[in-house]
Amino acid sequence: FDAGIMAPRVCQVMKAHTRSLLIRVGLFLVLAAALFFRSWGITWGLPKPGRFTTLYVDEYTPLWVLHRMNPKAGDFNPHYAHNPTFFYYQVGAVLEVASKVGAISLSNDKDYYLEHPKRYADLYLTGRLLCVAYGAATTLLLFFLGKQVTGSEAGGLLASLFYAVVPVSAIQSHVIDTSIPASFWLALSALGSLKALDSGSRHWLYVASVAAGLSFSTKYTSAPVMLVVAYAAWKSTRRASGPFLALAV
């Protein structure tokens, strides 16, 4: 009698465990695919002997902006306002770390890189790897966002899979550009807003607000996401959304 009662429960537990395991394996494969597509072709258009610039000319902007700073003197002013510079600071930090571990060579002498184009190309490659990391992180984030929207892990897996293989995302991760980092912060803000609407948690509102601010600090066109945060704050707390929108700014 006890065995007859327990058997269905055991089967349910085993099915749930198997399903969870398959989702995890699937997510691992999706992330592996995301890294593969974003790493494959990452050396496209890098500087080389006879061509000092990259074929994606906008990549020069972050290095030019960083070159105008003088961190040793405490000068972090980019002297540049055409685009937000939050991502540029990240590129600078990654380049500094890579230099400290001997992966690249940093120099303020342009002639040095003219004589060593491979080392100049390494600067761009390092910045591109940061975009690859952002792309992979966004793929993982889309799993949780898709899960939140659909209410199922399978939905989350499909969302992450679609983002992992969509050509525009993979190709944009091959260059130093703000689009992929901005997408990450936008997705995080959207997830925080949805979580806040679902649970009424102020914690998720803070996450959404900070992520919205960082997305705007990465790309100006991310500004409308602040309206989403304001709406989530109004609906979830029934109080003024001003503090959360101010936090985002």
Side-chain angles (χ1 to χ4, degrees):
F1 177 75
D2 291 341
I5 296 177
M6 292 299 296
R9 295 181 180 178
V10 172
C11 289
Q12 289 179 358
V13 171
M14 291 183 65
K15 287 181 179 179
H17 178 73
T18 301
R19 181 181 178 84
S20 178
L21 179 61
L22 289 175
I23 290 294
R24 292 181 182 182
V25 172
L27 182 58
F28 173 80
L29 294 176
V30 166
L31 291 175
L35 285 172
F36 172 76
F37 287 122
R38 284 154 181 77
S39 301
W40 183 29
I42 196 174
T43 58
W44 170 83
L46 288 175
K48 63 179 183 179
R51 191 190 70 235
F52 189 63
T53 61
T54 67
L55 293 182
Y56 189 79
V57 293
D58 288 346
E59 282 187 293
Y60 175 71
T61 301
L63 298 186
W64 176 73
V65 170
L66 292 170
H67 178 72
R68 292 162 63 88
M69 300 182 194
N70 188 4
K72 293 182 179 179
D75 180 13
F76 292 91
N77 185 355
H79 305 283
Y80 178 83
H82 292 290
N83 296 307
T85 52
F86 176 57
F87 177 64
Y88 297 164
Y89 287 121
Q90 295 173 62
V91 173
V94 169
L95 290 176
E96 181 64 22
V97 172
S99 175
K100 294 296 184 183
V101 300
I104 62 173
S105 299
L106 289 180
S107 174
N108 288 324
D109 185 2
K110 185 176 182 179
D111 291 336
Y112 171 80
Y113 292 116
L114 286 171
E115 296 174 1
H116 304 89
K118 173 62 170 61
R119 294 179 181 177
Y120 187 53
D122 288 342
L123 303 183
Y124 287 97
L125 182 59
T126 303
R128 290 180 177 188
L129 288 174
L130 177 59
C131 288
V132 169
Y134 260 115
T138 306
T139 302
L140 178 60
L141 190 57
L142 261 291
F143 169 77
F144 296 104
L145 184 58
K147 179 182 175 182
Q148 179 67 26
V149 171
T150 64
S152 70
E153 290 184 329
L157 189 61
L158 282 175
S160 61
L161 173 62
F162 293 151
Y163 186 81
V165 301
V166 66
V168 67
S169 173
I171 293 174
Q172 205 65 35
S173 295
H174 292 167
V175 294
I176 307 175
D177 188 83
T178 58
S179 299
I180 301 302
S183 297
F184 172 83
W185 297 114
L186 283 170
L188 182 58
S189 183
L191 178 61
S193 297
L194 289 174
K195 287 280 190 179
L197 286 170
D198 186 52
S199 65
S201 170
R202 284 182 172 269
H203 166 76
W204 282 110
L205 280 176
Y206 285 121
V207 171
S209 299
V210 172
L214 293 178
S215 68
F216 179 69
S217 298
T218 303
K219 200 175 182 82
Y220 288 139
T221 52
S222 301
V225 75
M226 296 183 187
L227 299 177
V228 177
V229 176
Y231 175 78
W234 174 69
K235 290 291 289 184
S236 61
T237 65
R238 295 299 180 183
R239 297 180 181 179
S241 58
F244 294 100
L245 188 57
L247 177 62
V249 175

